[in-house]
């Protein structure tokens, strides 16, 4: 009798366990990917081969013990290829996730921009999108307090158009000279290989314009709840032109249709340990369960006269364009409905560049934009090789007709037998005639100036938002060990808003046993 009851209990437990597992799979198809693969196939999908297609027999595939390795094609092929499977990572935005989908025009912008991608209501353009924390390395955590890349590649009929943006409407610096300075100060310390608060705050003190974006990152928005619930911004003010040769200036916005969701600091820290790939998992699972992420795409529009009469530099990427002055105008929807089939091929090899532009969109006249045109291409030549544009995900929908030939693989068809020099008299490709050509305007840039907007950002926060902001700043500044730097940082915060400075100071002092702190510290 006793034994029977125990058996029943075991069965019952097993049943509950199974239900639990099944429920788990429904929630997390990403975790079940390989099992799903088996379930969708009726058996092994074919005979295994070497890289060159020679079939491998069971004897070769079972062991190398007591065999000659040099003649062991399977051993050689498998191990030598393995040694070469890593390539240089992106120097920033190293870790990321992405997906495919389309952009659909809901409101055309023909009146200001002739680009075909925005020309007709209902027009759909395929897209690839990649999201990425800025400083995390491969194996890093998705929930760190950091800005996130929001890079969109539109595969238009006039070639690829990329918006290589962020989930913040502003950038850190205006002068591209100091991009490596900014990135090095956020990356790991050269000796300890640890993230370093002294370096982090030293940068902010030396480049106070960086406080605008950093203030936003110290709010809940600095820890977005995955990628689906965060907004995106093109940041730069793009010059566009219509058929009438009239110039306009626009900033792109992507607003998540499922709403903005953030994590609290403590949730983000907990998830960092439990599931460092939280955002990638969330994105994959949402798409796999047909819960397609979408964003409303809109623009802020400035006329030439708006640009001339603005009382600040509208091209300053460290500033936002106030929405009450330049309201959002909806243009379309961005929808992600397809997961990558192979992460490395489809996402790691994606090569975005702000200068991948199409007729009608001229890019931005600011110096940061200009410098990015060099950096991304250079980085991709290094990371993916001189013919990275021939990699599947980077190819435009229509075959490019260039006079470039040869080089490192992949070279694709290498333009077959088409004449290989320009100009030529033998029917090679020729340029088209642009009747309404417009040039990017020239601007004069002064040093970044955004303290007013940084202050405004702080002052417009609700009380509870300010409280969490201050807590997050205290916890970051609390680990600064250089007393002078701590003082300079508090002074910077006080210059933004005296209450902000004094609250942070109070928090630091209250927690002085927890954080490194000089007891004799006084604000000036
Ligand atoms: C002087 C300024 C900047 C420089 C030199 C720079 C440089 C770079 C480089 C070299 C990469 C790696 C590219 C690759 O290996 O494929 C990169 C990635 C990225 N950058 Fe920048 N960047 C700058 C400013 C910005 C700004 C202002 C934004 C946002 C508006 C931005 C957003 C991104 C994003 C989203 C990625 C990741 C792209 C991807 O997902 O593949 N960067 N940046
Ligand atoms: C996310 O954070 C921002 C900034 O604090 C806040 O305005 C917004 O309400 C937050 N959203 C959610 C859903 O928590
Ligand atoms: C740190 O100080 C703040 C007051 O500014 C307090 O609310 C918080 O509980 C303190 N944290 C610790 C760990 O003592």
């Amino acid at each position: 009798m006793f034994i029977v009851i125990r058996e029943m209990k075991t069965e019952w437990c097993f049943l509950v366990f199974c239900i639990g597992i099944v429920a788990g799979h429904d929630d997390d198809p990403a975790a079940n990917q390989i099992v799903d693969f088996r379930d969708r196939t009726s058996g092994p999908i074919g005979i295994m081969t070497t890289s060159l297609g020679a079939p491998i027999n069971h004897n070769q595939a079972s062991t190398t013990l007591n065999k000659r390795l040099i003649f062991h094609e399977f051993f050689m092929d498998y191990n030598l290829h393995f040694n070469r499977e890593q390539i240089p990572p992106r120097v920033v935005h190293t870790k990321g996730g992405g997906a495919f989908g389309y952009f659909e025009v809901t409101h055309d912008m023909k009146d200001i921009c002739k680009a075909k991608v925005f020309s007709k209501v209902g027009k759909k353009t395929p897209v690839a999108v990649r999201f990425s924390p800025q400083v995390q390395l491969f194996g890093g955590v998705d929930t760190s307090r950091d800005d996130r890349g929001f890079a969109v590649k539109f595969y238009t009929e006039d070639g690829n158009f990329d918006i290589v943006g962020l989930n913040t409407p502003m950038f850190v610096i205006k002068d591209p000279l100091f991009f490596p300075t900014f990135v090095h100060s956020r990356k790991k310390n050269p000796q300890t290989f640890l993230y370093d608060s002294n370096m982090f705050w030293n940068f902010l003190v030396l480049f106070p314009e960086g406080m605008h974006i950093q203030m936003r990152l110290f709010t809940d928005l600095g820890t977005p709840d995955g990628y689906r619930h965060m907004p995106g911004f093109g940041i730069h003010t793009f010059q566009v032109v219509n058929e009438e040769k009239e110039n306009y200036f626009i900033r792109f916005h992507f607003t998540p249709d499922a709403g903005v969701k953030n994590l609290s600091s403590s949730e983000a820290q907990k998830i960092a340990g439990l599931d460092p790939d939280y955002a990638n998992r969330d994105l994959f699972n949402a798409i796999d369960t047909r819960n397609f992420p979408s964003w409303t795409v809109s623009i802020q529009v400035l006329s030439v006269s708006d640009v001339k009469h603005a009382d600040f530099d509208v091209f300053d990427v460290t500033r936002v364009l106030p929405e009450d002055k330049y309201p959002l105008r909806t243009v379309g929807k961005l929808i992600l409905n397809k997961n990558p089939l192979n992460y490395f091929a489809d996402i790691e090899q994606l090569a975005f560049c702000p200068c991948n532009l199409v007729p009608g969109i001229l890019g931005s006249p600011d110096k940061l934009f200009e410098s990015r045109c060099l950096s991304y291409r250079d980085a991709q030549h290094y990371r993916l090789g001189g013919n990275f544009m021939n990699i599947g995900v980077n190819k435009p929908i229509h075959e490019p007709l260039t006079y470039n030939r040869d080089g490192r693989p992949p070279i694709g068809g290498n333009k077959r037998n088409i004449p290989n020099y320009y100009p030529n008299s033998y029917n090679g490709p020729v340029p088209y005639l642009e009747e309404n050509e417009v040039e990017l305007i020239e601007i004069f840039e002064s040093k970044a100036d955004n303290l007013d907007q940084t202050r405004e950002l702080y002052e417009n926060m609700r009380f509870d938002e300010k409280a969490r902001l201050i807590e997050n700043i205290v916890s970051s500044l609390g680990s600064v060990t250089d007393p002078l730097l701590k003082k300079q940082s508090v002074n910077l915060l006080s210059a933004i808003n005296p209450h902000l400075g004094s609250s942070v100071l109070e928090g630091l002092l209250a927690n002085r046993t927890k954080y490194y702190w000089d007891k004799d510290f006084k604000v000036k």
Side-chain angles (χ1 to χ4, degrees):
M1 188 55 189
F2 180 69
I3 290 166
V4 170
I5 289 169
R6 275 195 54 180
E7 274 179 357
M8 278 175 63
K9 265 196 182 155
T10 316
E11 264 168 37
W12 175 238
C13 287
F14 184 66
L15 192 67
V16 172
F17 183 60
C18 284
I19 292 168
I21 286 174
V22 170
H25 290 167
D26 286 348
D27 290 352
D28 195 354
N32 204 43
Q33 185 277 333
I34 196 165
V35 179
D36 278 346
F37 183 86
R38 181 197 57 200
D39 294 348
R40 287 181 197 149
T41 39
S42 53
I45 59 150
I47 299 291
M48 162 181 165
T49 70
T50 65
S51 297
L52 291 169
I56 294 167
N57 72 34
H58 184 264
N59 182 31
Q60 283 239 327
S62 58
T63 179
T64 53
L65 302 179
N66 307 312
K67 287 179 186 168
R68 284 181 138 160
L69 292 184
I70 201 100
F71 298 130
H72 195 302
E73 269 307 304
F74 175 46
F75 168 82
M76 285 293 170
D77 188 49
Y78 198 23
N79 279 273
L80 266 60
H81 194 275
F82 173 75
N83 289 344
R84 286 160 178 77
E85 65 188 30
Q86 295 201 343
I87 61 169
R90 288 175 180 80
V91 67
V92 284
H93 298 272
T94 307
K95 186 185 187 193
F100 300 90
Y102 62 91
F103 166 74
E104 179 168 2
V105 179
T106 56
H107 304 74
D108 73 68
M109 50 158 133
K110 275 210 301 270
D111 57 322
I112 59 164
C113 174
K114 65 180 179 185
K116 292 177 188 151
V117 52
F118 299 120
S119 62
K120 215 170 109 224
V121 173
K123 188 181 175 68
K124 287 186 183 176
T125 301
V127 298
V129 176
R130 185 172 178 271
F131 306 111
S132 48
Q134 208 250 125
V135 299
Q136 294 295 308
L137 307 176
F138 286 132
V141 302
D142 286 349
T143 56
S144 61
R145 183 169 299 286
D146 192 0
D147 49 353
R148 308 286 191 272
F150 193 114
V152 185
K153 188 183 289 298
F154 299 80
Y155 300 94
T156 88
E157 60 204 275
D158 276 339
N160 295 348
F161 167 50
D162 294 356
I163 299 180
V164 197
L166 298 175
N167 71 331
T168 58
M170 71 295 265
F171 193 59
V172 189
I173 44 169
K174 187 172 176 181
D175 188 340
L177 183 58
F178 299 107
F179 185 73
T181 305
F182 157 63
V183 176
H184 281 180
S185 76
R186 299 253 157 149
K187 286 195 151 188
K188 296 195 175 188
N189 173 300
Q191 177 170 22
T192 62
F193 202 56
L194 298 171
Y195 290 117
D196 191 310
S197 296
N198 292 324
M199 288 162 49
F200 180 100
W201 279 95
N202 187 209
F203 174 85
L204 290 172
V205 163
L206 295 172
F207 294 85
E209 66 267 34
M211 266 319 288
H212 192 205
I213 185 171
Q214 194 53 51
M215 180 85 81
R216 183 179 159 107
L217 294 177
F218 275 128
T219 72
D220 303 328
L221 292 169
T223 47
D225 187 352
Y227 297 136
R228 289 184 291 141
H229 297 106
M230 68 181 199
F233 303 90
I235 304 183
H236 295 275
T237 305
F238 288 74
Q239 182 179 345
V240 295
V241 62
N242 65 14
E243 294 286 1
E244 282 72 51
K245 232 177 140 168
E246 292 162 337
N247 286 316
Y248 286 89
F249 298 88
I250 65 176
R251 282 203 183 187
F252 287 100
H253 294 242
F254 300 82
T255 308
D257 293 324
V260 172
K261 285 191 192 156
N262 332 297
L263 300 169
S264 69
S265 270
S266 58
E267 279 172 322
Q269 283 164 14
K270 209 163 109 186
I271 294 170
L274 290 172
D275 186 6
D277 302 315
Y278 176 81
N280 277 0
R281 182 188 308 282
D282 176 69
L283 180 66
F284 186 96
N285 284 343
I287 294 173
D288 198 75
T289 54
R290 306 186 61 78
N291 184 11
F292 300 137
S294 72
W295 286 261
T296 296
V297 184
S298 50
I299 51 174
Q300 288 177 287
V301 184
L302 287 79
S303 65
V304 174
S305 144
D306 289 337
V307 169
K308 282 188 182 149
H309 296 114
D311 53 1
F312 66 99
D313 176 5
V314 300
F315 298 103
D316 184 342
V317 290
T318 72
R319 300 183 64 92
V320 296
L321 300 184
E323 286 181 28
D324 50 1
K325 224 167 151 189
Y326 313 104
L328 291 181
R329 167 176 157 183
T330 303
V331 293
K333 286 271 181 215
L334 176 73
I335 293 156
L336 296 181
N337 61 5
K338 193 166 159 270
N339 273 318
L341 203 54
N342 181 280
Y343 182 83
F344 191 95
D346 296 344
I347 305 300
E348 186 59 21
Q349 294 197 104
L350 269 171
F352 295 95
C353 179
C355 278
N356 292 344
L357 299 166
V358 289
I361 305 172
L362 289 92
S364 176
D366 71 82
K367 202 47 76 180
L368 200 89
F369 191 89
E370 187 180 331
S371 89
R372 294 179 74 195
C373 293
L374 170 71
S375 290
Y376 291 71
R377 285 181 185 141
D378 182 46
Q380 288 148 11
H381 275 278
Y382 173 63
R383 180 166 80 80
L384 300 166
N387 280 309
F388 66 86
M389 55 299 275
N390 293 327
I391 294 169
V393 280
N394 297 325
K395 282 201 282 205
I397 47 182
H398 295 314
E399 187 195 0
L401 290 175
T402 72
Y403 284 93
N404 303 328
R405 295 294 184 276
D406 308 350
R408 297 208 171 204
I411 55 164
N414 206 21
K415 315 293 177 310
R416 303 179 299 277
N417 57 350
I418 300 170
N420 66 347
Y421 59 96
Y422 171 78
N424 66 74
S425 317
Y426 299 101
N427 284 349
V430 289
Y432 81 106
L433 216 63
E434 173 64 73
E435 311 225 308
N436 293 322
E437 194 176 356
V438 161
E439 303 261 314
L440 201 56
I441 61 163
E442 294 284 342
I443 59 169
F444 174 79
E445 295 182 88
S446 42
K447 290 208 178 247
D449 170 20
N450 64 19
L451 203 65
D452 58 319
Q453 288 198 342
T454 312
R455 179 174 302 122
E456 205 179 306
L457 179 63
Y458 173 74
E459 288 173 0
N460 287 340
M461 285 178 205
R462 293 190 312 261
F463 179 76
D464 62 305
E465 287 173 330
K466 279 186 186 147
R468 289 194 297 278
L469 169 90
I470 288 161
E471 205 177 299
N472 293 332
I473 296 180
V474 168
S475 114
S476 169
L477 197 49
S479 51
V480 166
T481 61
D482 176 354
L484 176 63
L485 175 58
K486 236 177 194 160
K487 183 173 167 171
Q488 292 165 332
S489 305
V490 171
N491 288 345
L492 171 60
L493 295 167
S494 298
I496 293 164
N497 176 290
H499 178 260
L500 173 63
S502 61
S503 307
V504 167
L505 179 61
E506 213 175 285
L508 288 169
L509 292 169
N511 286 304
R512 66 170 164 265
T513 51
K514 188 175 161 212
Y515 301 109
Y516 301 92
W517 186 248
D518 174 359
K519 286 209 293 296
D520 303 323
F521 176 87
K522 295 213 174 49
V523 211
K524 64 167 185 208

